[in-house]
């Protein structure tokens, strides 16, 4: 019998499926690489080799960040979905702004925000919709740019 994945890993799977299906305005896949966050990009050296291998990319990490208690003291966990996205370019700045032939992280972020704000991973997930919380620039180099978008949802585990 196969081991079962936890709630956060299954949310990551659903998010990866959604990101993989995303297209740019010319119906071309938005991302070359979509996957669970496995530390693919080495921030220390701005991911020089890693960007060339993965970009444009979107990685996913979901985790429980906090717990609140309901009136009956049931746990109400706060889920946080992190989606780091990145692009590289031969010409300085195009990775961030984009041009006639490349989607920059600015447009990628707009599309990811639109796709995941008010997003629910589907049946079998006892959580509220995810909502956009914030984003943070992770790497800002002339030929490599990455930002991380963050979405949050409440999860009230069902107990039997």
């Amino acid at each position: 019998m196969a081991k079962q994945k936890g709630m956060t890993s299954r949310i990551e799977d659903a998010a990866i499926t959604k990101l993989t299906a995303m297209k740019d305005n010319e119906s071309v896949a938005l991302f070359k690489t979509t996957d669970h966050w496995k530390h693919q990009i080495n921030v220390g050296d701005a991911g020089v080799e890693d960007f060339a291998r993965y970009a444009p990319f979107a990685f996913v990490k979901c985790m429980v960040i906090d717990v609140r208690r309901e009136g009956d003291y049931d746990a109400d966990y706060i889920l946080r979905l992190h989606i780091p996205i990145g692009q590289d370019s031969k010409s300085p700045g195009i990775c961030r702004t984009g041009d006639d032939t490349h989607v920059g992280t600015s447009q990628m972020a707009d599309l990811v925000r639109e796709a995941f704000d008010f997003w629910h991973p589907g049946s079998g997930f006892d959580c509220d919709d995810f909502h956009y919380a914030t984003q943070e620039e992770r790497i800002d180099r002339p030929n490599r740019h990455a930002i991380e978008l963050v979405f949050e949802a409440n999860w009230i585990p069902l107990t039997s």
Side-chain angles (χ1 to χ4, degrees):
M1 185 166 145
K3 301 248 187 248
Q4 191 174 31
K5 286 187 172 185
M7 169 79 159
T8 56
S9 293
R10 291 185 300 116
I11 290 172
E12 290 178 18
D13 289 344
I16 289 166
T17 298
K18 185 168 187 73
L19 288 161
T20 301
M22 290 180 69
K23 309 281 187 216
D24 67 12
N25 65 333
E26 295 177 345
S27 297
V28 174
L30 187 60
F31 300 106
K32 173 181 160 186
T33 308
T34 56
D35 199 357
H36 296 269
W37 173 243
K38 301 174 194 170
H39 302 273
Q40 293 92 328
I41 305 299
N42 180 354
V43 177
D45 65 2
V48 175
E49 294 167 8
D50 301 332
F51 263 76
R53 184 175 350 156
Y54 298 117
F57 62 79
F59 299 116
V60 180
K61 178 174 79 171
C62 185
M63 53 197 279
V64 175
I65 61 155
D66 200 2
V67 64
R68 295 185 204 129
R69 293 291 173 172
E70 301 271 314
D72 56 1
Y73 219 64
D74 284 343
D76 179 5
Y77 296 100
I78 309 303
L79 295 168
R80 186 169 284 165
L81 181 66
H82 296 260
I83 304 178
I85 61 173
Q87 178 66 293
D88 67 351
S89 61
K90 293 188 182 355
S91 299
I94 300 303
C95 52
R96 185 180 60 81
T97 63
D99 64 12
D100 289 343
T101 58
H102 300 90
V103 176
T105 54
S106 173
Q107 178 67 15
M108 287 179 196
D110 292 347
L111 295 170
V112 171
R113 271 192 303 273
E114 182 180 313
F116 283 89
D117 195 28
F118 293 94
W119 173 74
H120 192 274
S123 65
F125 293 95
D126 298 314
C127 64
D128 294 335
D129 291 351
F130 279 87
H131 298 283
Y132 176 71
T134 191
Q135 77 180 36
E136 187 172 325
E137 190 171 57
R138 293 293 179 199
I139 296 173
D140 183 19
R141 299 284 190 271
N143 303 94
R144 288 172 298 287
H145 192 252
I147 56 178
E148 187 169 329
L149 293 98
V150 179
F151 301 85
E152 292 183 352
N154 294 329
W155 170 39
I156 302 173
L158 298 179
T159 56
S160 40

